Amino acid sequence: RAGEEERRFRALVSIQGFDCFCPHIPPSRVAGMRRGLRRDPSQTLSAFWRGCGTEPFAPPSALNVERLDEGLGWLMEWDESEAKAKLAFPTFALAARDDAVVPRAMSEVIWGSDNIRWSDTGGHVLPLKHPEWCANNVLDFAHALQP
């Protein structure tokens, strides 16, 4: 698949992303969120959004608890670190220093200090808080790629 990906992609841009959530973040933290989601989905998501740096933006009726729980399970198990390590093209990451979900140390381990452009603020909703900053940095990176 690596040869196939090389033909399809010239680079990878991550915005507050990761290749593996756990073990950087203890699985118990995600498991606690799953328990909270089953007990009181609206309250759990509201607390999560506030922790991300934004106000709740979906009414309780819009929450698909089953899919959210499935996503949290995936978050605990998913590991693409080997696939990322095999990438044969440039990577670039945007991150916020005040991101409580993907903290600075986690981003630096995953992407390497030289591949990250930092925003001082943005929480875990960097594109929401600073859309032009994100777009300009992605465009600068894309324009700097070799044809």
Side-chain angles (χ1 to χ4, degrees):
R1 274 176 63 170
E4 181 181 312
E5 289 175 357
E6 287 175 20
R7 288 189 298 273
R8 289 180 35 207
F9 301 105
R10 291 184 43 215
L12 173 72
V13 173
S14 167
I15 301 178
Q16 299 182 289
F18 47 85
D19 55 5
C20 182
F21 195 69
C22 300
H24 302 284
I25 303 300
S28 59
R29 188 166 154 194
V30 181
M33 189 167 182
R34 288 182 94 176
R35 285 189 303 276
L37 186 64
R38 293 175 188 135
R39 217 176 15 256
D40 189 344
S42 180
Q43 178 66 26
T44 300
L45 265 290
S46 291
F48 174 74
W49 288 322
R50 282 191 300 278
C52 288
T54 189
E55 291 299 314
F57 53 84
S61 61
L63 302 179
N64 184 332
V65 176
E66 183 178 306
R67 295 291 291 170
L68 289 166
D69 183 62
E70 181 182 323
L72 289 171
W74 173 78
L75 191 64
M76 292 175 74
E77 298 170 10
W78 182 68
D79 184 351
E80 291 297 320
S81 55
E82 286 184 31
K84 185 186 73 57
K86 293 178 185 176
L87 294 177
F89 45 76
T91 60
F92 178 64
L94 299 178
R97 286 188 171 96
D98 65 346
D99 187 341
V101 177
V102 181
R104 182 178 181 146
M106 179 177 170
S107 291
E108 288 178 344
V109 166
I110 292 169
W111 301 110
S113 299
D114 295 340
N115 296 325
I116 303 172
R117 180 79 35 89
W118 291 101
S119 171
D120 287 332
T121 62
H124 192 62
V125 288
L126 188 55
L128 180 66
K129 297 280 181 142
H130 304 298
E132 287 184 31
W133 182 87
C134 291
N136 288 334
N137 278 287
V138 170
L139 287 172
D140 289 347
F141 173 71
H143 291 306
L145 292 172
Q146 298 298 318

